[in-house]
Amino acid sequence: MKFLISTCLLLVAVCAHSTPNKYIALTLDDSPRAASGYFDGPTRANKLIAALKAHDVAQVAFFSVSAHLNQEGITRLNAYSDAGHLIANHTHDHPDFNTLTLAQYIANFEQADRELSQFKTMTKLFRFPYLREGDTVEKRDGMRAALAAKGYRNGYVTVNTYDWFIENQFQKAIKDGVKVDLTRMSHYYVDMMVQSIEAYDELAIKELGRSPKHVLLLHEMDITALFLGDLIAELKRKGWIIISPLTAYEDEIATFQTTEVLPYNPGRIGEIARTNGQTKGLWPRALQESYLDQQFEQQVMQVVAPK
Ligand SMILES: [Zn+2]
């Protein structure tokens, strides 16, 4: 009897912990990104700030490119900063590390460091454009040393996404004169982002035995301004808790350094899986262009046939 009771208690305890909270931070790259035609820069910024506030997200990080800093761009980053969001380093003009020398790349990073230091919430986190961290040992280790010398940490992502590809689909449809149904567009966007998040979380649980504090890769774009609120609402509905990037980068995986040279990097979880010998499934389905084209057509563009 005693055994039975303790077994039951154990089961209750296990069940109570079977749906632990999951944590994710939001990061938006390439700010202040040029207007693509739907919103102008200030409108995009206002909508992003309002969406984050409306959904009680106190802090996200804007990984910024200093070559974009014209007067309007400076005003936009100041607006993010004033709203409490972090400004971080994404290089001066977004080069591909695979095509530059180490010295050129370090100069590009340092120029952004100087120019972005004017923003009051500037934080020493660096995100590699295209997530490419060096295609030779010399470049990989040289940039690791350059970051450390300037007091920077790697602003890695755990969830890679193709939101930029979805933005292009949306902007092209608008330019082609299509009256895009924004409700359907939102469902499609949220579906693809959630699929990416769940795929990398599943991979993380397989590799680490736990769900880490995640970092989601998004971009400072019109679809983000339009649908980020819907994405946050859906994540919360699924039990996710939105955290500051500063909290996310306290996770143990922040100290992981791959021993491999990866010219194409799928993000920190993919990197860990790759280092452990897994080569397949590092870019989930929601990052495949053919799948996205098919889903956009099906979920957004197809007119529902009348019954
Ligand atoms: Zn970028």
Side-chain angles (χ1 to χ4, degrees), residues 28-31 33 63 65 90-91 94 127-131 217-219:
L28 288 77
D29 283 14
D30 301 356
S31 50
R33 199 174 190 266
F63 283 88
V65 174
H90 193 39
T91 71
H94 212 274
R127 176 159 301 157
F128 290 86
Y130 314 102
L131 309 179
L217 171 64
L218 300 172
H219 290 82

PDB file of all heavy atoms in Angstrom, residues 28-31 33 63 65 90-91 94 127-131 217-219, ligand 1:
ATOM      1  N   LEU A  28      15.612  41.056 -33.721  1.00  0.00           N
ATOM      2  CA  LEU A  28      15.261  41.570 -35.053  1.00  0.00           C
ATOM      3  C   LEU A  28      16.513  42.127 -35.709  1.00  0.00           C
ATOM      4  O   LEU A  28      17.132  43.056 -35.186  1.00  0.00           O
ATOM      5  CB  LEU A  28      14.185  42.658 -34.939  1.00  0.00           C
ATOM      6  CG  LEU A  28      12.759  42.196 -34.579  1.00  0.00           C
ATOM      7  CD1 LEU A  28      12.618  41.869 -33.101  1.00  0.00           C
ATOM      8  CD2 LEU A  28      11.753  43.242 -34.984  1.00  0.00           C
ATOM      9  N   ASP A  29      16.870  41.565 -36.834  1.00  0.00           N
ATOM     10  CA  ASP A  29      18.126  41.918 -37.498  1.00  0.00           C
ATOM     11  C   ASP A  29      17.950  42.992 -38.578  1.00  0.00           C
ATOM     12  O   ASP A  29      16.855  43.208 -39.093  1.00  0.00           O
ATOM     13  CB  ASP A  29      18.736  40.678 -38.152  1.00  0.00           C
ATOM     14  CG  ASP A  29      19.403  39.768 -37.130  1.00  0.00           C
ATOM     15  OD1 ASP A  29      19.168  39.960 -35.919  1.00  0.00           O
ATOM     16  OD2 ASP A  29      20.150  38.868 -37.547  1.00  0.00           O
ATOM     17  N   ASP A  30      19.105  43.579 -38.928  1.00  0.00           N
ATOM     18  CA  ASP A  30      19.258  44.468 -40.098  1.00  0.00           C
ATOM     19  C   ASP A  30      18.667  45.860 -39.906  1.00  0.00           C
ATOM     20  O   ASP A  30      18.540  46.616 -40.873  1.00  0.00           O
ATOM     21  CB  ASP A  30      18.677  43.857 -41.386  1.00  0.00           C
ATOM     22  CG  ASP A  30      19.323  42.534 -41.762  1.00  0.00           C
ATOM     23  OD1 ASP A  30      20.276  42.121 -41.063  1.00  0.00           O
ATOM     24  OD2 ASP A  30      18.889  41.916 -42.734  1.00  0.00           O
ATOM     25  N   SER A  31      18.278  46.205 -38.672  1.00  0.00           N
ATOM     26  CA  SER A  31      17.728  47.540 -38.436  1.00  0.00           C
ATOM     27  C   SER A  31      18.828  48.597 -38.583  1.00  0.00           C
ATOM     28  O   SER A  31      19.982  48.298 -38.315  1.00  0.00           O
ATOM     29  CB  SER A  31      17.125  47.608 -37.034  1.00  0.00           C
ATOM     30  OG  SER A  31      18.050  47.119 -36.083  1.00  0.00           O
ATOM     31  N   ARG A  33      16.340  48.785 -41.316  1.00  0.00           N
ATOM     32  CA  ARG A  33      16.253  48.196 -42.660  1.00  0.00           C
ATOM     33  C   ARG A  33      15.474  49.141 -43.578  1.00  0.00           C
ATOM     34  O   ARG A  33      14.492  49.739 -43.158  1.00  0.00           O
ATOM     35  CB  ARG A  33      15.540  46.849 -42.552  1.00  0.00           C
ATOM     36  CG  ARG A  33      15.748  45.896 -43.715  1.00  0.00           C
ATOM     37  CD  ARG A  33      15.083  44.561 -43.350  1.00  0.00           C
ATOM     38  NE  ARG A  33      15.389  43.473 -44.273  1.00  0.00           N
ATOM     39  CZ  ARG A  33      14.626  43.143 -45.310  1.00  0.00           C
ATOM     40  NH1 ARG A  33      13.545  43.842 -45.594  1.00  0.00           N
ATOM     41  NH2 ARG A  33      14.947  42.114 -46.072  1.00  0.00           N
ATOM     42  N   PHE A  63      19.546  43.841 -33.804  1.00  0.00           N
ATOM     43  CA  PHE A  63      20.921  43.696 -34.300  1.00  0.00           C
ATOM     44  C   PHE A  63      21.048  44.607 -35.525  1.00  0.00           C
ATOM     45  O   PHE A  63      20.444  44.347 -36.574  1.00  0.00           O
ATOM     46  CB  PHE A  63      21.230  42.240 -34.606  1.00  0.00           C
ATOM     47  CG  PHE A  63      21.489  41.445 -33.359  1.00  0.00           C
ATOM     48  CD1 PHE A  63      20.460  40.830 -32.670  1.00  0.00           C
ATOM     49  CD2 PHE A  63      22.780  41.355 -32.843  1.00  0.00           C
ATOM     50  CE1 PHE A  63      20.697  40.116 -31.500  1.00  0.00           C
ATOM     51  CE2 PHE A  63      23.037  40.645 -31.680  1.00  0.00           C
ATOM     52  CZ  PHE A  63      21.986  40.029 -31.006  1.00  0.00           C
ATOM     53  N   VAL A  65      22.789  47.518 -38.336  1.00  0.00           N
ATOM     54  CA  VAL A  65      23.812  47.677 -39.366  1.00  0.00           C
ATOM     55  C   VAL A  65      24.086  49.176 -39.491  1.00  0.00           C
ATOM     56  O   VAL A  65      23.201  49.930 -39.894  1.00  0.00           O
ATOM     57  CB  VAL A  65      23.294  47.064 -40.685  1.00  0.00           C
ATOM     58  CG1 VAL A  65      24.251  47.317 -41.822  1.00  0.00           C
ATOM     59  CG2 VAL A  65      23.067  45.563 -40.517  1.00  0.00           C
ATOM     60  N   HIS A  90      25.601  44.250 -35.742  1.00  0.00           N
ATOM     61  CA  HIS A  90      25.407  43.289 -36.845  1.00  0.00           C
ATOM     62  C   HIS A  90      26.304  43.706 -38.023  1.00  0.00           C
ATOM     63  O   HIS A  90      25.931  43.514 -39.177  1.00  0.00           O
ATOM     64  CB  HIS A  90      23.927  43.279 -37.222  1.00  0.00           C
ATOM     65  CG  HIS A  90      23.477  42.154 -38.110  1.00  0.00           C
ATOM     66  ND1 HIS A  90      23.924  40.852 -37.993  1.00  0.00           N
ATOM     67  CD2 HIS A  90      22.577  42.132 -39.139  1.00  0.00           C
ATOM     68  CE1 HIS A  90      23.328  40.098 -38.897  1.00  0.00           C
ATOM     69  NE2 HIS A  90      22.519  40.841 -39.627  1.00  0.00           N
ATOM     70  N   THR A  91      27.435  44.300 -37.690  1.00  0.00           N
ATOM     71  CA  THR A  91      28.458  44.822 -38.631  1.00  0.00           C
ATOM     72  C   THR A  91      28.081  46.195 -39.210  1.00  0.00           C
ATOM     73  O   THR A  91      26.954  46.661 -39.028  1.00  0.00           O
ATOM     74  CB  THR A  91      28.774  43.901 -39.841  1.00  0.00           C
ATOM     75  OG1 THR A  91      27.673  43.909 -40.739  1.00  0.00           O
ATOM     76  CG2 THR A  91      29.138  42.502 -39.405  1.00  0.00           C
ATOM     77  N   HIS A  94      26.986  44.633 -43.371  1.00  0.00           N
ATOM     78  CA  HIS A  94      26.432  43.299 -43.613  1.00  0.00           C
ATOM     79  C   HIS A  94      27.224  42.455 -44.611  1.00  0.00           C
ATOM     80  O   HIS A  94      26.660  41.862 -45.550  1.00  0.00           O
ATOM     81  CB  HIS A  94      24.977  43.430 -44.101  1.00  0.00           C
ATOM     82  CG  HIS A  94      24.098  42.292 -43.685  1.00  0.00           C
ATOM     83  ND1 HIS A  94      23.993  41.127 -44.415  1.00  0.00           N
ATOM     84  CD2 HIS A  94      23.290  42.116 -42.619  1.00  0.00           C
ATOM     85  CE1 HIS A  94      23.137  40.309 -43.823  1.00  0.00           C
ATOM     86  NE2 HIS A  94      22.702  40.888 -42.720  1.00  0.00           N
ATOM     87  N   ARG A 127      26.107  39.747 -33.836  1.00  0.00           N
ATOM     88  CA  ARG A 127      25.515  38.690 -34.673  1.00  0.00           C
ATOM     89  C   ARG A 127      26.162  38.695 -36.044  1.00  0.00           C
ATOM     90  O   ARG A 127      26.177  39.715 -36.740  1.00  0.00           O
ATOM     91  CB  ARG A 127      24.007  38.858 -34.796  1.00  0.00           C
ATOM     92  CG  ARG A 127      23.424  37.798 -35.748  1.00  0.00           C
ATOM     93  CD  ARG A 127      21.962  37.556 -35.552  1.00  0.00           C
ATOM     94  NE  ARG A 127      21.692  37.111 -34.200  1.00  0.00           N
ATOM     95  CZ  ARG A 127      20.515  37.230 -33.597  1.00  0.00           C
ATOM     96  NH1 ARG A 127      19.499  37.751 -34.248  1.00  0.00           N
ATOM     97  NH2 ARG A 127      20.339  36.804 -32.366  1.00  0.00           N
ATOM     98  N   PHE A 128      26.663  37.522 -36.429  1.00  0.00           N
ATOM     99  CA  PHE A 128      27.292  37.371 -37.741  1.00  0.00           C
ATOM    100  C   PHE A 128      26.225  37.419 -38.836  1.00  0.00           C
ATOM    101  O   PHE A 128      25.265  36.634 -38.779  1.00  0.00           O
ATOM    102  CB  PHE A 128      28.005  36.016 -37.817  1.00  0.00           C
ATOM    103  CG  PHE A 128      29.237  35.897 -36.965  1.00  0.00           C
ATOM    104  CD1 PHE A 128      29.162  35.510 -35.624  1.00  0.00           C
ATOM    105  CD2 PHE A 128      30.486  36.161 -37.508  1.00  0.00           C
ATOM    106  CE1 PHE A 128      30.309  35.393 -34.849  1.00  0.00           C
ATOM    107  CE2 PHE A 128      31.636  36.040 -36.735  1.00  0.00           C
ATOM    108  CZ  PHE A 128      31.542  35.663 -35.398  1.00  0.00           C
ATOM    109  N   PRO A 129      26.366  38.323 -39.833  1.00  0.00           N
ATOM    110  CA  PRO A 129      25.444  38.294 -40.980  1.00  0.00           C
ATOM    111  C   PRO A 129      25.440  36.908 -41.638  1.00  0.00           C
ATOM    112  O   PRO A 129      26.499  36.272 -41.755  1.00  0.00           O
ATOM    113  CB  PRO A 129      26.023  39.353 -41.917  1.00  0.00           C
ATOM    114  CG  PRO A 129      26.689  40.324 -41.008  1.00  0.00           C
ATOM    115  CD  PRO A 129      27.272  39.469 -39.900  1.00  0.00           C
ATOM    116  N   TYR A 130      24.280  36.457 -42.020  1.00  0.00           N
ATOM    117  CA  TYR A 130      24.053  35.119 -42.609  1.00  0.00           C
ATOM    118  C   TYR A 130      24.460  34.003 -41.631  1.00  0.00           C
ATOM    119  O   TYR A 130      24.588  32.846 -42.037  1.00  0.00           O
ATOM    120  CB  TYR A 130      24.811  34.949 -43.946  1.00  0.00           C
ATOM    121  CG  TYR A 130      24.677  36.122 -44.878  1.00  0.00           C
ATOM    122  CD1 TYR A 130      25.711  37.054 -45.008  1.00  0.00           C
ATOM    123  CD2 TYR A 130      23.498  36.334 -45.589  1.00  0.00           C
ATOM    124  CE1 TYR A 130      25.572  38.154 -45.839  1.00  0.00           C
ATOM    125  CE2 TYR A 130      23.365  37.437 -46.427  1.00  0.00           C
ATOM    126  CZ  TYR A 130      24.402  38.341 -46.539  1.00  0.00           C
ATOM    127  OH  TYR A 130      24.268  39.428 -47.362  1.00  0.00           O
ATOM    128  N   LEU A 131      24.737  34.377 -40.372  1.00  0.00           N
ATOM    129  CA  LEU A 131      25.194  33.440 -39.325  1.00  0.00           C
ATOM    130  C   LEU A 131      26.531  32.791 -39.691  1.00  0.00           C
ATOM    131  O   LEU A 131      26.895  31.768 -39.129  1.00  0.00           O
ATOM    132  CB  LEU A 131      24.134  32.359 -39.040  1.00  0.00           C
ATOM    133  CG  LEU A 131      22.704  32.852 -38.747  1.00  0.00           C
ATOM    134  CD1 LEU A 131      21.768  31.667 -38.505  1.00  0.00           C
ATOM    135  CD2 LEU A 131      22.663  33.804 -37.565  1.00  0.00           C
ATOM    136  N   LEU A 217      15.404  34.229 -34.457  1.00  0.00           N
ATOM    137  CA  LEU A 217      15.875  35.155 -35.491  1.00  0.00           C
ATOM    138  C   LEU A 217      14.689  35.704 -36.288  1.00  0.00           C
ATOM    139  O   LEU A 217      13.963  34.948 -36.942  1.00  0.00           O
ATOM    140  CB  LEU A 217      16.826  34.425 -36.456  1.00  0.00           C
ATOM    141  CG  LEU A 217      17.220  35.205 -37.719  1.00  0.00           C
ATOM    142  CD1 LEU A 217      18.016  36.458 -37.374  1.00  0.00           C
ATOM    143  CD2 LEU A 217      18.031  34.332 -38.668  1.00  0.00           C
ATOM    144  N   LEU A 218      14.501  37.017 -36.195  1.00  0.00           N
ATOM    145  CA  LEU A 218      13.527  37.717 -37.037  1.00  0.00           C
ATOM    146  C   LEU A 218      14.264  38.883 -37.675  1.00  0.00           C
ATOM    147  O   LEU A 218      15.438  39.117 -37.388  1.00  0.00           O
ATOM    148  CB  LEU A 218      12.359  38.235 -36.190  1.00  0.00           C
ATOM    149  CG  LEU A 218      11.528  37.191 -35.426  1.00  0.00           C
ATOM    150  CD1 LEU A 218      10.544  37.865 -34.484  1.00  0.00           C
ATOM    151  CD2 LEU A 218      10.778  36.284 -36.406  1.00  0.00           C
ATOM    152  N   HIS A 219      13.582  39.609 -38.531  1.00  0.00           N
ATOM    153  CA  HIS A 219      14.183  40.800 -39.140  1.00  0.00           C
ATOM    154  C   HIS A 219      13.258  42.004 -38.948  1.00  0.00           C
ATOM    155  O   HIS A 219      12.049  41.828 -38.798  1.00  0.00           O
ATOM    156  CB  HIS A 219      14.480  40.566 -40.626  1.00  0.00           C
ATOM    157  CG  HIS A 219      15.603  39.597 -40.852  1.00  0.00           C
ATOM    158  ND1 HIS A 219      15.413  38.230 -40.824  1.00  0.00           N
ATOM    159  CD2 HIS A 219      16.924  39.791 -41.068  1.00  0.00           C
ATOM    160  CE1 HIS A 219      16.581  37.630 -41.020  1.00  0.00           C
ATOM    161  NE2 HIS A 219      17.520  38.546 -41.178  1.00  0.00           N
TER     162      HIS A 219
HETATM  163 ZN    ZN B   1      21.354  40.293 -41.289  1.00  0.00          ZN
END
